[in-house]
Every structure is written in C-alpha cells, then in structure tokens.
C-alpha cells in the first residue's frame, strides 16, 4: 500500500533543483549540476508513484534519472531527507542565498566572487564592488559590476518578501504549530496572505485565548529557541512586541507575527487584522458614527465587547454588505458595500477552460492528448493550446511545418472526442506568437490566420526605452490577428521588474482594438498586475485568466489567477474563460 505522506514528484523536483543549484554554486562539475537540474525539470510535471518505483529499484526508468540521481531520489522518498542536500546546505554560507536574489547574477559568478574575493553576503559584495575588486575580476568588468551594485538594493528588499504560494505554505505550517499550543483555543491566518496579495512581506496570524498574554508567553516558549518552523526554515528566535503579541523571525528572512486576543474579540479582530489600514480605518469611522468602537481588540458597545459568530455580522452592524478578504484594500470597497454595488466575484468553479498552455511541441512536458484529457477531467469544456512561435528557438518554438503537424493532431483529438451524447469538449488551436522588436507578430499573416486565436507576448529586447517598448506593443495590439495580449509587462516577481512600458496607453489601444488582456496565472508572474486589471475591466476590456501551463499540474495555476481577478473586483462575465464553449467558439471566429 502506498504511503500517502511520501514525497511526490513535485517535492522531489524541488530537492533535485536545490542540489543542482548548490553544486553549481560550489563550482562543482557543470555536467553533474545540469544533470540534477534537468532531472528536476523532468519530474515537475510527472504523475508517478515514486515510492513504488524506489522500492522496485526502477527510478532509472524515468527520463533524465541516472543511477546517482536515482539514489538521491530513493533516499528522499523513503526517508524524507537527503544526505547530499544536507551536506551542501551545511557548507553554504547563508549570505550566498541573498546573492542569488540579485538579477542577472547566477551561481557560477557567485562562486567566483566567493572564491576570489571571499564574498559571503550582500555587505561583503557591496564593499568589494566599491573597492573596484568586482570590476577587476576576469569576466566581470565595470558594466557588470555596476549592474550588480544596482541589484544589491533589490536583493536586500526582496530577502524578507515571499510570493503568495511560498507565504501561504509557511503560514499554514506555522498555523498548525500555533493551534497546537494548549493556551490557544483557535487561530487563523490574517493580513496580506488572507487578502491573497501576490507578494507578502510578513506572515500574520491571530489567535484566540482565555488569557491572551499567557498564550503569547507560551508561543515565545515554543519558538524562542532555534527549531523547525515553516518547513525547512528554522525559527531564529521570538520576541515580545506588545502585550499578547509575538514576532517570530525565521532564519531565511521571513518574519511572522502572532497576536493573541480574547475569544469574544476574535471574529472582529480577524476583520481588523485582515484588512489594510485604509479599509479598517473606514470601518472604524462608520462604527463611531453608530456609537460603536471598532479596533484591534474587537467591537465594543457601551464599552463592552460584542461577541460575533461571523465576520459578516460586523459588516451588517455597520450597514454594509460583506466585503470578501481579497477586496479589503481601501480602494473604495467600503463605500460600494454601503451602496450595494459590490461585485459578485468570479470563482474558480466559474471557469469552463483556459487558453495559454504549452505541450511537448515546444517546451511543455505533456502531450496534446495528456493536456486535453487533464482539462476534461477538470470538468472543462475547452482548452486552448498556445505553444511558442518559431522566434522562441530557446523554447522549441514551432516551425511552420510543426505548426501544421500540431494543428492536424489537434483536429484528430477533437474528432476522436466528439462522441455523440458526451459532454462537448474542444481543443482550440492557438499560438504564443512572439512580439518582435519592431512590433510585428512572428509568422506571416497567412499562417497566423490558421489559428483559432493568437496570444502575443514579448520575450526579447526587454531593455527598450519606455516609449519604444510602448510603441512596439501597441503595434502588436493593432494587428488584426492578435486575440490576447500575454503577460503584458514581462515581470517575474522577486526576480526582475517588468520592462518599461506605458500600460494605460496599451490598455487604451487594447480597448479600441477589442483585444483581450491576460492575467498570467503563473505565480512567478501574475501579470497583468491586478491594479491594472481593475482599470482594464472598467474600460470594458475582456480578461483571460491563463495558467501558462507547461505541464498537467500547472493547469492548477489558474487558482492564483483567480485570486488576482478577485482582487481586481472581476465578475464572471468579465472573464473570457467563464463563457460557455459555443459562445467562446463564436467569439474567436468573429475575432478572426
């Protein structure tokens, strides 16, 4: 019988990728490091019982897994640990991880900096750069040194930040620990994580207790010394911030705050701790107008705590419709809740399919059959496949011959699955066409016309000036074949800022041309930013939530895109993916 707690392919892939990175960081064989990295990529989208394969000594049957890597996988799958990873981690100065946050500074150069200059962190790197030592290194030079210096501030700022999925994972693990403390009667995640912010600067939790101060002291006792917390991150200590509050500082730079309140105040305090300052400030003003007092320690009437069962009760007492956590950003949602104008937010269950997905025809890990079957299994009625165009040679971009072959295979899939009486399902023939530096789309117009839809994305020449990049993208938006503008700013969260571009001007052009704007749901992108999505929707632009999936598993990235759509206040009808198959089919045909 399979042990369901055994690490799966995704967890194993993380370990292999970490080993590959650390091997390169320590200057070991590039071939060996690349082998671990490639094996990690192969496992990311795999659906396999690794425990069974390990027990049968059949791990080498997996693509990219040789005998040495199979041994590492077997050890981790069966024991939950890896001697090799622990060895590499132990001999890696923590400061080197910070250097990896500097845009454009890879592990090979970090190894050189560490070996040649003794650089073991951001401060040491800054000192070496100021002394001219970095520029003097072979293969670096003044220009590279200047870019590294620019990236140090970015690295310092990002050290304490986490993308939403990582922050959520840490928060859930910490929450289990907080709830296990006897003095705590209940606890919840609040703050930016509960508002589903794309970047989180601190984990926030609220705990209820009969004696809040005692509960805080108990938490300090649990987390006050080094120990396992939030998975691989060890708690570096805890401190008292105020009565009933504890700050947990984790060794990887993450900070978590736990505040303990009386049980009667817990529900109202959850609202206070979830919303940002503007949101809760507006609620406090409304409470005062009604002779109530709303603050961090709950809701009071005549000086007495008002116990609440649900958060909606607090909003109701203030004459407001319930405001979902994602909207509690102080952007007019309180006023709309008072006038009955809050949107009915889109849900994951509203989606009937998606459009920006990759297969083995370019750089995806699953075949057309596998992606289509996975979409049907999720209850969808359509799936759009948009592999890379020929300009993206690094990603296996499709030649015109390969385009024709893929389209023929998609036709075959659709014919094979058009069974009378079955739930209708269709794969749409798309392409992620590179927006070339001059703003034209990759492929001639006659080839572009063979697709059901075209996603246009920038994948090169990111360094263009703002005016030039804006002109480039607007030209693409005006192309009659363009259906969807993909990841419009090119940002990679906590890795690189988006390219310089005038988004309001691009949105205006998209509205005029009837072009759909993408929320790229890959959690490393979440592009377009939800604040701009809000503006786009107000302009009448239709939004597509796309996972940018390169594997079956990554189809589930859609959940992160839904978070952003909800933060933007989108209703189902404003999202293309919520339209039924017949309507999407008609819409795409009319766009052509």
């Amino acid at each position: 019988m399979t042990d369901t707690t055994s690490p799966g392919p995704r967890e194993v892939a993380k370990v292999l990728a970490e080993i590959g990175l650390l091997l390169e960081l320590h200057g070991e064989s590039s071939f060996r490091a690349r082998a671990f990295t490639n094996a990690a990529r192969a496992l990311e989208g795999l659906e396999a019982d690794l425990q069974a394969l390990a027990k049968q000594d059949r791990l080498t049957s997996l693509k990219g897994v040789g005998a040495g890597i199979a041994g590492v996988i077997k050890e981790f799958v069966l024991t939950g640990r890896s001697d090799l990873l622990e060895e590499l981690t132990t001999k890696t100065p923590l400061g080197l991880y910070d250097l990896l946050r500097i845009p454009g500074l890879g592990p090979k150069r970090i190894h050189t900096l560490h070996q040649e200059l003794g650089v073991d962190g951001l401060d040491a790197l800054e000192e070496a750069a100021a002394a001219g030592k970095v520029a003097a290194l072979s293969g670096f030079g003044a220009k590279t040194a200047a870019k590294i210096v620019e990236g140090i501030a970015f690295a310092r700022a990002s050290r304490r930040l986490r993308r939403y999925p990582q922050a959520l994972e840490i928060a859930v693990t910490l929450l289990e620990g907080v709830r296990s403390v006897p003095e705590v009667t209940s606890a919840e995640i609040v703050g930016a994580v509960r508002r589903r912010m794309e970047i989180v600067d601190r984990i926030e939790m609220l705990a209820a207790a009969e004696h809040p101060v005692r509960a805080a002291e108990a938490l300090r006792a649990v987390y006050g010394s080094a120990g396992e917390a939030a998975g691989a991150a060890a708690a570096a200590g805890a401190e008292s911030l105020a009565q009933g509050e504890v700050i947990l500082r984790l060794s990887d730079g993450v900070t978590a705050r736990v505040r303990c309140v009386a049980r009667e105040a817990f529900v109202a305090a959850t609202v206070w701790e979830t919303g940002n300052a503007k949101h809760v400030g507006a609620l406090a003003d409304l409470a005062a107008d009604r002779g109530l007092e709303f603050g961090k320690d709950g809701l009071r009437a005549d000086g007495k705590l008002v116990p609440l069962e649900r958060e909606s009760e607090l909003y109701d007492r203030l004459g407001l419709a319930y405001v979902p956590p994602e909207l509690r950003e102080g952007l007019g949602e309180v006023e709309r809740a008072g006038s009955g104008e809050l949107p009915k937010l889109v849900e994951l269950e509203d989606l009937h399919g998606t459009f920006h997905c990759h297969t083995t025809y370019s750089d995806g890990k699953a075949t057309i059959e596998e992606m289509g079957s996975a979409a049907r299994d999720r209850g969808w009625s359509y799936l759009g496949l948009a592999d890379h165009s020929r300009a993206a040679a690094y990603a296996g971009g499709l030649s015109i011959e390969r385009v024709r072959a893929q389209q023929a295979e998609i036709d075959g899939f659709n014919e094979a699955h058009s069974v009378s009486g079955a739930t209708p399902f269709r794969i749409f023939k798309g392409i992620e066409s590179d927006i070339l530096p001059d703003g034209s789309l990759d492929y001639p117009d006659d080839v572009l016309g063979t697709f059901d839809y075209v996603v246009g994305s920038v994948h090169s020449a990111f360094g263009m000036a703002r005016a030039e990049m804006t002109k480039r993208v607007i030209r693409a938006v005006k192309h009659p074949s363009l259906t969807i503008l993909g990841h419009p700013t090119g940002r990679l969260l906590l890795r690189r800022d988006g390219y310089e571009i005038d988004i309001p001007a691009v949105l205006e052009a998209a509205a005029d041309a009837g072009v759909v704007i993408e929320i790229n749901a890959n959690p490393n992108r979440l592009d377009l930013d939800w604040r701009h999505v809000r503006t786009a929707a107000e302009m009448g632009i239709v939004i597509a939530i796309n996972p940018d999936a390169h594997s079956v598993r990554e189809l589930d990235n859609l959940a992160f895109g839904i978070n952003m759509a909800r933060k933007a206040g989108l209703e189902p009808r404003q999202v293309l993916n919520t339209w039924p198959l017949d309507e999407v089919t008609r819409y795409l045909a009319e766009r052509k």
Side-chain angles (χ1 to χ4, degrees):
M1 184 175 179
T2 301
D3 179 4
T4 56
T5 63
S6 177
R10 196 172 185 180
E11 292 74 23
V12 173
K14 287 181 180 179
V15 169
L16 298 183
E18 179 81 356
I19 290 172
L21 174 69
L22 293 177
L23 287 172
E24 197 172 3
L25 201 60
H26 287 287
E28 296 203 21
S29 163
S30 59
F31 175 81
R32 188 182 182 209
R34 192 162 54 249
F36 275 93
T37 301
N38 291 340
R41 288 174 180 163
L43 286 177
E44 280 174 356
L46 191 68
E47 301 292 335
D49 186 345
L50 296 183
Q51 186 186 52
L53 291 174
K55 289 180 177 179
Q56 297 165 15
D57 287 327
R58 293 180 53 231
L59 287 168
T60 53
S61 66
L62 299 174
K63 180 181 178 181
V65 176
I69 293 176
V72 173
I73 296 174
K74 182 175 183 179
E75 178 191 21
F76 184 67
V77 167
L78 299 182
T79 70
R81 57 189 296 272
S82 165
D83 285 341
L84 177 58
L85 179 58
E86 289 176 10
E87 175 191 338
L88 290 168
T89 302
T90 300
K91 68 178 186 179
T92 303
L94 284 176
L96 296 190
Y97 288 97
D98 289 337
L99 301 188
L100 288 166
R101 302 178 191 278
I102 296 176
L105 188 61
K108 286 186 178 179
R109 281 186 165 167
I110 292 173
H111 173 70
T112 299
L113 290 166
H114 183 53
Q115 289 295 110
E116 299 295 326
L117 303 179
V119 168
D120 59 0
L122 294 174
D123 290 343
L125 177 59
E126 193 169 42
E127 291 173 9
K133 295 179 180 179
V134 174
L137 281 174
S138 176
F140 282 73
K143 188 175 180 180
T144 298
K147 285 186 177 180
I148 288 173
V149 170
E150 287 177 9
I152 289 174
F154 180 90
R156 282 203 175 105
S158 66
R159 185 177 188 269
R160 61 188 179 84
L161 304 177
R162 291 296 180 274
R163 289 182 288 271
Y164 172 77
Q166 289 76 35
L168 180 63
E169 183 178 356
I170 295 169
V172 168
T173 302
L174 280 175
L175 182 64
E176 293 175 359
V178 170
R179 284 176 172 170
S180 69
V181 174
E183 288 80 1
V184 172
T185 57
S186 59
E188 294 294 345
I189 298 166
V190 290
V193 174
R194 188 161 183 244
R195 296 201 312 277
R196 304 186 189 187
M197 290 292 286
E198 65 271 36
I199 296 295
V200 175
D201 62 355
R202 185 163 74 170
I203 309 298
E204 304 269 5
M205 276 173 284
L206 187 73
E210 290 288 349
H211 303 286
V213 174
R214 291 184 194 171
E217 290 172 350
L219 286 167
R220 282 193 75 190
V222 171
Y223 291 108
S225 58
E228 287 301 312
E239 63 182 53
S240 178
L241 182 67
Q243 272 206 337
E245 296 186 17
V246 173
I247 294 289
L248 311 179
R249 303 191 187 281
L250 307 181
S251 62
D252 65 351
V254 176
T255 298
R257 170 178 171 264
V258 186
R259 192 164 76 84
C260 304
V261 298
R263 287 195 300 176
E264 298 81 2
F266 183 68
V267 173
T270 298
V271 175
W272 182 273
E273 293 291 347
T274 295
N276 73 1
K278 286 186 178 180
H279 181 84
V280 297
L283 297 184
D285 290 343
L286 281 176
D289 292 342
R290 292 173 175 254
L292 301 169
E293 182 183 352
F294 173 57
K296 68 175 187 176
D297 293 316
L299 181 68
R300 295 178 183 272
D302 299 324
K304 296 181 180 179
L305 273 175
V306 179
L308 303 171
E309 292 293 326
R310 293 173 297 277
E311 291 177 70
S312 58
E313 293 177 31
L314 185 143
Y315 287 95
D316 185 58
R317 282 176 176 265
L318 301 181
L320 304 173
Y322 174 72
V323 179
E326 300 96 317
L327 291 182
R328 300 178 195 176
E329 297 289 350
L331 296 174
E333 69 279 355
V334 173
E335 292 77 7
R336 292 197 297 276
S339 61
E341 298 177 357
L342 274 182
K344 179 186 180 298
L345 298 181
V346 64
E347 303 271 2
L348 185 61
E349 293 73 21
D350 294 325
L351 303 188
H352 294 294
T354 193
F355 303 95
H356 183 170
C357 301
H358 299 268
T359 72
T360 50
Y361 268 86
S362 64
D363 60 345
K365 297 179 175 65
T367 64
I368 288 173
E369 177 74 32
E370 289 167 339
M371 293 294 280
S373 297
R376 292 185 72 195
D377 290 344
R378 284 163 170 76
W380 299 346
S381 54
Y382 51 84
L383 176 71
L385 297 179
D387 275 302
H388 286 285
S389 66
R390 60 183 178 178
Y394 60 89
L398 276 61
S399 66
I400 293 175
E401 290 74 19
R402 292 276 287 166
V403 166
R404 290 171 181 152
Q406 185 187 51
Q407 290 181 347
E409 187 173 336
I410 290 173
D411 286 338
F413 179 95
N414 286 335
E415 289 173 11
H417 292 82
S418 296
V419 181
S420 177
T423 303
F425 181 85
R426 176 177 175 179
I427 291 181
F428 289 108
K429 292 177 279 192
I431 193 73
E432 186 179 16
S433 175
D434 267 34
I435 298 176
L436 303 176
D438 66 355
S440 61
L441 296 180
D442 197 9
Y443 298 127
D445 288 350
D446 62 331
V447 176
L448 291 172
T450 66
F451 298 104
D452 294 317
Y453 68 96
V454 174
V455 179
S457 304
V458 171
H459 289 121
S460 63
F462 293 159
M464 280 185 171
R466 178 183 175 89
E468 191 179 5
M469 181 65 81
T470 302
K471 181 180 178 181
R472 171 189 184 179
V473 173
I474 287 178
R475 183 186 175 194
V477 164
K478 291 180 177 179
H479 194 292
S481 291
L482 188 71
T483 317
I484 301 171
L485 179 60
H487 46 74
T489 72
R491 74 179 186 183
L492 290 176
L493 296 171
L494 300 185
R495 286 176 55 194
R496 73 174 184 224
D497 294 330
Y499 38 74
E500 291 293 324
I501 189 169
D502 185 345
I503 285 296
V506 170
L507 293 182
E508 185 176 343
D512 290 342
V515 166
V516 176
I517 296 292
E518 173 183 84
I519 296 177
N520 189 293
N522 183 310
N524 297 311
R525 289 188 182 273
L526 299 180
D527 181 15
L528 190 62
D529 185 282
W530 62 268
R531 300 159 188 85
H532 290 308
V533 171
R534 180 186 291 255
T535 301
E538 290 170 351
M539 297 170 68
I541 295 173
V542 176
I543 305 299
I545 304 174
N546 290 327
D548 202 350
H550 288 69
S551 68
V552 165
R553 184 189 297 273
E554 287 182 359
L555 290 172
D556 296 329
N557 282 347
L558 280 176
F560 303 119
I562 284 288
N563 290 349
M564 297 301 99
R566 288 173 64 85
K567 291 195 70 61
L570 296 190
E571 299 190 56
R573 186 62 195 170
Q574 295 172 297
V575 178
L576 183 62
N577 318 48
T578 68
W579 301 4
L581 174 59
D582 58 348
E583 192 171 355
V584 169
T585 302
R586 185 166 57 252
Y587 174 80
L588 294 180
E590 289 172 353
R591 281 288 304 164
K592 292 181 66 176

